[in-house]
Structure formats: C-alpha cells, structure tokens
Amino acid sequence: MLTRLTLTDFRNHASASLSPNAGFVMLSGPNGAGKTNIIEAVSLLSPGRGLRRAPLREMARQDGPGGFAIAAKMGEDADIGTGTLPAAPDRRQLRINGTAQPVARLGEWISVLWLTPAMDRLFTDTKSARRAFLDRLVLALEPAHAHHASRYEAAMRARNKLLAEPETADADWLAALEAGMAEHGEALGQARTRTVAALGEAMAAMPTGDFPRAGLALDGWEGGDLARLLRDSRGRDGKAGRTLVGPHRQDLEVTYLEKSQPAALGSTGEQKALLIGLILAHGELVADQRGKPPILLLDEVAAHLDPDRRAALYARLEGRGQVWMTATESSLFDGVSGSRFHVEAGTITPN
C-alpha cells in the first residue's frame, strides 16, 4: 500500500501530499478540486499513461515550470519517484530507491487497477479501448507484459515505416523486425489468454448477487506463425499503411452470463454493474496469484450506485487492500472506516 504520496506541479497541485493508511482512502470535494488528479497520480505508479491516458506534457501544471514529479512511499519496501523534466516534457523518468529504472519495471513493485466514469461505455467502445483495458488486467498479474507490449509496438512502428517505402526497405532489417514482433507478440497473446481464462473461471464461480457475472473471450487473433504471416502480409500492410495481422488486432468479448447476451446490449446500469464485478473479481485474482492485493482506484463510483449496491460494494472491498475512492459528497462514504481527505483548489486536508 501507499503510505505517502507527494505531488509537485502535477495538474492543479503545485505542492501537495497525503499519508493514507491501509484500507479505504476517501477523497471528497467539489468538482474540479483535483480529486481525480490525485488518483491519476497513483495510477502513474504503474506502467503506461495512467487512467486518463493523457500526454505527459498535459499533466504538468499549467502555470508551472513545465515538468512534474510524483513521489510515493510503498510501506517499507520502496521509494518511487516518477515524472518529467521541463526540458523533456514528453519523456517520463523513473527512480526506485534512488536508482534510475525503465518505466516498465514499475509493474514488478506495484499493481494498480482503476474504474472511472469514462469506462462506463467500455463494452460499446472501440476494440483498442477494450484491448487497453485487458492489457491493464494482464499487467497486474504478469508484470513482464509491459516489456513485451512496448517491444512489440516499437517493432511494429518501425516495420510500418519501412513498408511505406518498399523500394528502399532493407529486407534483412524487415525480417528482423518481424522476428521481434513474432517473439513478443506470442508472449502478449499467451499472457492475455491466461488472464482471460483465469478471470473467466473466477467470474463463473462467483455467486449471483449485486454485481452480475461476466463471461470473457478473445477475438481477432488466435495465434499462429506470426513471422510467416507478417512476411506474407507485407504487400497488403504496405498499401493499408498499418499492420493487419497480429495480437494488436485482438478484442475482448464480454457476455452477461445470467442473460446470455453480449454486455454491450445491457442497460447502462447493467453494464456498470458488470464492469464493477469484473474489477472486483480481478482484484481478488491478483491477490490470490501475486500474494498481495492491487491498489484499487474508484473514481466517482459511489455516486452512480443505489444505496444497497453501494453498501454491497463497500462490504466486498473491506479488507481487500488499499482502495482509493472519490466523491463530491463525503456522505457517500457514510459507514466506511478509513483515511478521509477533503480536496479543494489543489489543497488536500485530512478530514
């Protein structure tokens, strides 16, 4: 768990810090106060661009010097610092216990899951949005997933660039890039398959209740000799301007088990409940497989649940690790014990 979080020139927080305890961490305050910015900072303690997937330069405070810093203490195990410098606002840096590290290594130290209002439309959103969601689930279980994803994407970008100019493309370099894509692409596909299978079993075993069960399946890429498929697809890919075969074409299919229908056909409330159930089940799976629960970030989730389902959510989360929650009204956290903070105009006050 996080025992201390310090923000410098991050979003609307010029300088702010808080020291939460284990269990629930509740942030309340008016809209625009900076509550989501705080949990976005926590989400950046894992690989990737965080819960908003925003460009790094947008995270720096508008009236600040141009860079930002996030410092976190993880119990007695690690001091983590990440952020950007004003001279390089698009390059994220990371230090763990004072030593520079690649950002992909964050997954070895901490697993973070989140649920935001923007994710309510996940089941009707694009394939890339669901794929990004799936990769976040995989990463929490298998930290090496970030390494394979970054290597695969880098090799694919370089290959697409070569295919755009076939007359001058180096055949040996093209083959080497495709070999790299095959190696890392196979690892990506296998990790996703393992996660979907394990999570699907966990969801199927869950009793029916306030949060319905989801059935999971992968679509769009079933594996195979990727190096050969890429070689055979060079002409088509060159004309299309992108790579048309590989694990980057996968999609996560979600079914509402009790109704035997695609999740996308459910009501808004049903989709919300399905998504919460999925996140809860995955958090329990992470705790079981990695021996410690993930940090869970819930942005404005309580406001969209009726009192009974809200109480069921809190009961399900009790004792499940550190859970950060935001709300405009502190009354939405009534009956919940934990660390409470009031956030207003970039200022954090214990409540």
Side-chain angles (χ1 to χ4, degrees), residues 229-242:
L229 292 171
L230 289 169
R231 183 173 62 251
D232 294 345
S233 184
R234 288 175 184 174
R236 291 189 303 119
D237 293 351
K239 292 179 181 178
R242 63 187 187 279

Side-chain angles (χ1 to χ4, degrees), residues 199-221:
L199 187 53
E201 290 177 4
M203 294 291 295
M206 285 173 51
T208 57
D210 294 282
F211 302 104
R213 299 175 302 160
L216 307 175
L218 285 172
D219 184 44
W221 167 250

Side-chain angles (χ1 to χ4, degrees), residues 55-297:
L56 288 170
R57 63 172 58 232
E58 291 184 7
M59 300 179 190
R61 188 167 60 91
Q62 289 186 356
D63 297 329
F68 69 87
I70 300 168
K73 188 171 183 60
M74 300 291 300
E76 300 299 324
D77 296 329
D79 289 306
I80 299 174
T82 189
T84 62
L85 297 174
D90 298 308
R91 181 182 178 185
R92 185 175 168 196
Q93 300 190 2
L94 170 68
R95 286 188 175 275
I96 300 177
N97 293 332
T99 303
Q101 299 281 358
V103 174
R105 291 207 60 192
L106 274 170
E108 300 173 16
W109 293 86
I110 178 175
S111 56
V112 186
L113 300 175
W114 55 78
L115 194 56
T116 70
M119 293 169 62
D120 288 354
R121 58 179 180 272
L122 178 71
F123 303 131
T124 57
D125 208 335
T126 63
K127 291 182 180 180
S128 63
R130 285 187 294 276
R131 197 162 49 245
F133 172 74
L134 171 60
D135 282 338
R136 177 59 51 185
L137 302 184
V138 177
L139 180 62
L141 290 167
E142 303 190 29
H145 193 67
H147 166 75
H148 293 298
S150 63
R151 290 296 181 89
Y152 180 85
E153 291 290 336
M156 183 169 62
R157 287 193 300 270
R159 177 180 181 269
N160 290 343
K161 186 175 180 179
L162 284 180
L163 291 178
E165 301 175 353
E167 298 82 4
T168 59
D170 184 307
D172 291 338
W173 179 230
L174 189 57
L177 290 171
E178 290 170 347
M181 287 181 66
E183 175 189 352
H184 297 292
E186 181 179 0
L188 285 179
Q190 291 178 353
R192 287 171 180 165
T193 298
R194 286 191 294 269
T195 295
V196 166
L199 187 53
E201 290 177 4
M203 294 291 295
M206 285 173 51
T208 57
D210 294 282
F211 302 104
R213 299 175 302 160
L216 307 175
L218 285 172
D219 184 44
W221 167 250
E222 298 180 355
D225 187 346
L226 184 54
R228 178 183 60 79
L229 292 171
L230 289 169
R231 183 173 62 251
D232 294 345
S233 184
R234 288 175 184 174
R236 291 189 303 119
D237 293 351
K239 292 179 181 178
R242 63 187 187 279
T243 300
L244 298 173
V245 61
H248 64 285
R249 306 283 289 180
Q250 283 185 311
D251 189 12
L252 176 65
E253 294 186 339
V254 182
T255 304
Y256 189 160
L257 287 181
E258 276 70 33
K259 290 192 172 183
S260 298
Q261 71 176 23
L265 299 181
S267 68
T268 301
E270 287 173 334
Q271 291 186 40
K272 180 80 171 184
L274 272 170
L275 189 54
I276 292 175
L278 189 56
I279 290 292
L280 292 174
H282 185 259
E284 293 166 4
L285 181 63
V286 172
D288 181 59
Q289 291 197 7
R290 295 191 65 175
K292 55 185 178 182
I295 291 177
L296 189 56
L297 312 176

Side-chain angles (χ1 to χ4, degrees), residues 315-334:
R316 182 83 175 268
L317 291 171
E318 184 70 38
R320 298 286 182 176
Q322 197 173 53
V323 181
W324 295 60
M325 302 186 295
T326 69
T328 54
E329 300 294 334
S330 61
S331 60
L332 290 171
F333 301 137
D334 284 352

